[in-house]
Amino acid sequence: MYDVVIIGSGPAGMAAAVYAARAELTFVVAEKDMSGGQILETSDIDNYPGFPSISGFDLAEKFRAHAEACGTEIIENITIEDFRKIDGGFELVFDGNKTMETKTILIATGAKPRRLGCAGEEEFVGAGVSYCATCDGAFFKGRDVIVVGGGNTAVEDAIFLARGCKSVTLVHRRDSLRASRNLVTKLKSLPNVEIVWDSTVERIYGNGMVESVLLKNVKTGELTDRKASGVFVAVGTKPSNLGWQDKIPCDEGGYFIAGENCETQVPGIFAAGDVRTKSLRQVITAAADGANAIYRIEQYLAEQQ
Ligand code: NAP
């Protein structure tokens, strides 16, 4: 029986692994896909101390290398499906009917991009509609693209796309951006970026590939067509809560309710990083959660003896 199974290998999971190793806990990191988490799809990270500018992919590699240097075992391509309470801990069910036993569970599964929900969105996913500018931006070199959203991701995506695209139109549903001031200043300095305020995407049109979008001004109701080959959706994230919201209390957004010590309302189960209720979802806050969670898990394990 492990002391802890860490589910997810983003910054929260990898930081937890480093701390678990230092605490000499027995543990494993279980990862559904490739290790790294959401930062694998982040172009530049310039707010993680010690790294003035680094790509998300490179930072993820460093996190992984650090965790592995401490002796972390990472199992990739494993899908944790369910958990059952057993004597002294939990039985985790994975990949159908396989099981592993652990005294505690640390959920560090992060979050995923939210969809717009407009007509045409599903039809054109992978055919002009994208949720990852850094992954797909190169396909739109010299083309006109739309970015939807007003947060840091949308603004970063617009800045990134403006390097190669002919034009970038940022469509935001309000008249001010919630993104950080330095990003907004940079965005506004770019000659091929236009911001369309108070507007939503009503419909995405195309013929095999995206060709245009129908925008609606939410204040006037006015509808306008705009030519675009790509629609980059950056309207926030939803938690990857494993479908466990009925077993572990969550907030209205589906994020596990847990304080800074990452303890959920189910004893022995902890949540760290973007999947936890919190006000600031950043690499640094996720990594901090990983450390806090293991600190609390050590105490919890001692209390159980
Ligand atoms: P976010 O901050 O939640 O922003 C989502 C944006 O999408 C908001 O502007 C929101 O509008 C808009 N929106 C939501 N639903 C919409 C809909 N149905 N239709 C149109 N627009 C919609 O999400 P995020 O930008 O992905 O960032 C997530 C977290 O990661 C944040 O804490 C962010 O600071 C952080 N982050 C940080 C960095 C960095 O520091 N380098 C980079 C990326 C992300 P409203 O403003 O009207 O709500």
Side-chain angles (χ1 to χ4, degrees):
M1 185 182 261
Y2 291 109
D3 288 326
V4 56
V5 171
I6 300 167
I7 310 174
S9 65
M14 291 290 92
V18 170
Y19 276 74
R22 283 161 50 105
E24 299 184 349
L25 302 182
T26 56
F27 71 100
V28 68
V29 176
E31 167 58 51
K32 188 153 81 69
D33 303 307
M34 174 186 170
S35 83
Q38 292 169 87
I39 58 168
L40 289 176
E41 297 173 357
T42 304
S43 53
D44 301 316
I45 292 176
D46 60 7
N47 55 2
Y48 192 78
F51 296 93
S53 177
I54 186 167
S55 77
F57 190 89
D58 289 346
L59 188 58
E61 291 253 289
K62 287 187 185 295
F63 285 158
R64 182 189 174 116
H66 187 172
E68 286 183 332
C70 299
T72 300
E73 182 193 355
I74 303 171
I75 311 174
E76 289 182 323
N77 303 311
I78 166 176
T79 303
I80 304 285
E81 285 150 10
D82 203 0
F83 68 87
R84 286 190 279 269
K85 186 89 190 85
I86 56 170
D87 199 22
F90 302 91
E91 186 177 63
L92 279 169
V93 182
F94 65 98
D95 292 350
N97 55 3
K98 298 178 194 157
T99 58
M100 65 172 106
E101 293 185 356
T102 180
K103 292 176 190 164
T104 65
I105 301 170
L106 175 54
I107 308 167
T109 42
K112 282 201 157 31
R114 206 184 281 149
R115 304 236 161 182
L116 279 177
C118 71
E121 182 182 20
E122 294 301 324
E123 184 186 343
F124 292 108
V125 170
V129 172
S130 167
Y131 301 86
C132 179
T134 46
C135 318
D136 302 328
F139 300 119
F140 297 86
K141 213 165 174 217
R143 316 292 285 271
D144 301 301
V145 300
I146 305 271
V147 176
V148 191
N152 280 329
T153 304
V155 173
E156 281 189 347
D157 285 358
I159 293 168
F160 173 75
L161 290 165
R163 292 182 202 154
C165 295
K166 184 173 162 206
S167 77
V168 177
T169 305
L170 184 78
V171 177
H172 182 40
R173 63 182 178 183
R174 293 188 296 120
D175 61 2
S176 69
L177 299 167
R178 69 167 68 222
S180 323
R181 203 175 299 169
N182 64 327
L183 287 174
V184 175
T185 304
K186 187 164 179 194
L187 181 80
K188 288 183 173 171
S189 73
L190 299 173
N192 58 341
V193 173
E194 183 190 346
I195 304 176
V196 175
W197 302 105
D198 299 314
S199 297
T200 53
V201 176
E202 286 298 290
R203 192 176 187 100
I204 300 169
Y205 294 105
N207 187 5
M209 294 292 289
V210 170
E211 290 174 349
S212 65
V213 293
L214 181 67
L215 302 183
K216 180 182 180 181
N217 183 304
V218 293
K219 286 192 172 153
T220 63
E222 187 191 351
L223 294 169
T224 48
D225 254 320
R226 190 169 274 254
K227 197 170 113 316
S229 310
V231 178
F232 289 87
V233 180
V235 296
T237 52
K238 59 177 190 207
S240 301
N241 63 18
L242 300 161
W244 292 354
Q245 63 274 18
D246 297 332
K247 301 174 89 172
I248 306 169
C250 289
D251 66 14
E252 67 288 349
Y255 296 89
F256 293 119
I257 296 169
E260 201 189 345
N261 66 10
C262 299
E263 209 161 15
T264 71
Q265 291 175 17
V266 177
I269 301 189
F270 300 77
D274 283 11
V275 77
R276 172 174 88 80
T277 47
K278 54 164 61 193
S279 55
L280 183 62
R281 294 192 167 84
Q282 301 272 294
V283 176
I284 193 164
T285 60
D289 273 10
N292 279 317
I294 294 298
Y295 180 64
R296 179 63 198 127
I297 285 169
E298 277 184 84
Q299 292 173 335
Y300 173 88
L301 291 170
E303 287 160 15
Q304 304 308 303
Q305 281 169 5

